[in-house]
Amino acid sequence: MSKPLQPQSAIALTLLLMTSTAAAAQNSPSSTTKLLSVTGPYLGQTPPGLTPKPFAPGLVSTEQTLESEVLFLPDMSALSFTRYEKGAYPDLYVIKHHNNQWHQHLVSAEAAKTYNAQFSPSVETLKQHVVFKDIPVVGYTTSSAGTQFFYELDLKDGSGHMSYSRLIDGQYETPIKMSDAVNQGKYIAHPFVAPDESYLMWDAEKEGESTPDIYISFKQKDGSWGKAINMGDKINTPLYEQRPKVTPDGKYLFFWKGDVKTNADGSRYVVGGPHWVDAKIIDTLRSKQ
């Protein structure tokens, strides 16, 4: 087992993955397209059970390069991810499903901004609403009812918290800081809320930990959020787990797993990529709350 990431490595990794889309948008070469030799949903991959595994080895997840999280369009017609190779600029890939075939596009700088907006709306989009304008929002997630769950984060010391704002009569209410049931530990980040707001997932470093794990809280009958539950050793390891997201069809939980390695000269580099697991793993945790 690789050594756990130290806090300074966690900061570097978080910065890298946070800026991956922007870097790809600035530096991708002209678009190229190729037909992949796979058919069927999810790039023709055999679905995982309740034990996570890398997503699409050789197509998306590789041992030689670093891949970011995988994002899907709401209608599941396409997915995107960013790939990093040593000594090269990151590349943004979009893989589209059409007529039961998958077409991989290496996206150009000119097209990247458009694709980014489709797969992951920017914080600037949220800040178009006046109640968020002066808040240092880093990232957010939106429920079907329009409730925004967002986080603030100081990468220097890991301080920060999550808040939410409901859409009421077409207007967003003044944001409300979430309780200590959710806001525990440092580097609280990357929330994902169920469309019906029945649960909320995120990653954070708890006391005594040096790397983030993924946590979940279930909404209680009184409308409050239950105490954070570690999602267990099938998902969380001594490595770096973050960015949980359930696919738009509700079938699978995707998340990112990575580590930091050391070269012979003492320099460090990041490895890792997207993993997936049956979303039924969420139901196995409900009884714990």
Side-chain angles (χ1 to χ4, degrees), residues 139-209:
Y140 67 102
T141 180
T142 310
S143 74
S144 293
T147 305
Q148 306 290 355
F149 294 80
F150 63 92
Y151 68 100
E152 303 170 43
L153 176 62
D154 186 337
L155 289 172
K156 294 179 180 178
D157 60 10
S159 61
H161 60 271
M162 275 199 286
S163 303
Y164 68 92
S165 175
R166 294 169 297 183
L167 184 62
I168 301 175
D169 296 330
Q171 299 292 325
Y172 280 104
E173 65 180 344
T174 300
I176 300 170
K177 183 178 178 180
M178 301 195 75
S179 72
D180 290 343
V182 170
N183 283 318
Q184 301 180 32
K186 300 188 301 181
Y187 298 102
I188 300 167
H190 312 126
F192 172 84
V193 67
D196 63 359
E197 298 183 31
S198 59
Y199 63 81
L200 178 70
M201 292 187 291
W202 68 97
D203 54 77
E205 287 184 14
K206 289 297 189 68
E207 176 121 8
E209 298 175 357

Side-chain angles (χ1 to χ4, degrees), residues 60-216:
V60 177
S61 301
T62 64
E63 294 184 0
Q64 298 79 20
T65 54
L66 166 67
E67 285 78 32
S68 71
E69 64 180 330
V70 167
L71 300 174
F72 288 87
L73 289 182
D75 64 1
M76 303 291 293
S77 64
L79 61 88
S80 72
F81 67 96
T82 300
R83 173 169 289 146
Y84 310 80
E85 297 189 48
K86 291 182 180 179
Y89 290 119
D91 290 319
L92 175 63
Y93 288 88
V94 172
I95 306 179
K96 299 180 180 181
H97 193 225
H98 180 67
N99 290 335
N100 203 36
Q101 293 182 313
W102 291 95
H103 302 262
Q104 178 178 282
H105 303 266
L106 175 57
V107 179
S108 69
E110 293 77 16
K113 185 175 181 180
T114 298
Y115 280 114
N116 292 336
Q118 293 174 358
F119 285 93
S120 183
S122 68
V123 170
E124 285 68 30
T125 300
L126 184 67
K127 289 198 170 190
Q128 291 176 2
H129 302 282
V130 65
V131 298
F132 306 111
K133 185 176 180 181
D134 297 323
I135 299 175
V137 177
V138 178
Y140 67 102
T141 180
T142 310
S143 74
S144 293
T147 305
Q148 306 290 355
F149 294 80
F150 63 92
Y151 68 100
E152 303 170 43
L153 176 62
D154 186 337
L155 289 172
K156 294 179 180 178
D157 60 10
S159 61
H161 60 271
M162 275 199 286
S163 303
Y164 68 92
S165 175
R166 294 169 297 183
L167 184 62
I168 301 175
D169 296 330
Q171 299 292 325
Y172 280 104
E173 65 180 344
T174 300
I176 300 170
K177 183 178 178 180
M178 301 195 75
S179 72
D180 290 343
V182 170
N183 283 318
Q184 301 180 32
K186 300 188 301 181
Y187 298 102
I188 300 167
H190 312 126
F192 172 84
V193 67
D196 63 359
E197 298 183 31
S198 59
Y199 63 81
L200 178 70
M201 292 187 291
W202 68 97
D203 54 77
E205 287 184 14
K206 289 297 189 68
E207 176 121 8
E209 298 175 357
S210 61
T211 61
D213 279 349
I214 295 174
Y215 293 85
I216 189 168

Side-chain angles (χ1 to χ4, degrees), residues 220-257:
Q220 307 299 289
K221 292 181 179 179
D222 64 2
S224 65
W225 288 95
K227 186 175 180 179
I229 300 171
N230 185 294
M231 292 198 71
D233 57 11
K234 286 186 177 180
I235 289 179
N236 295 317
T237 71
L239 303 181
Y240 196 105
E241 288 86 21
Q242 65 170 12
R243 298 174 180 266
K245 287 181 176 65
V246 173
T247 51
D249 60 10
K251 293 182 178 180
Y252 302 104
L253 166 60
F254 275 69
F255 63 97
W256 190 90
K257 181 193 293 285

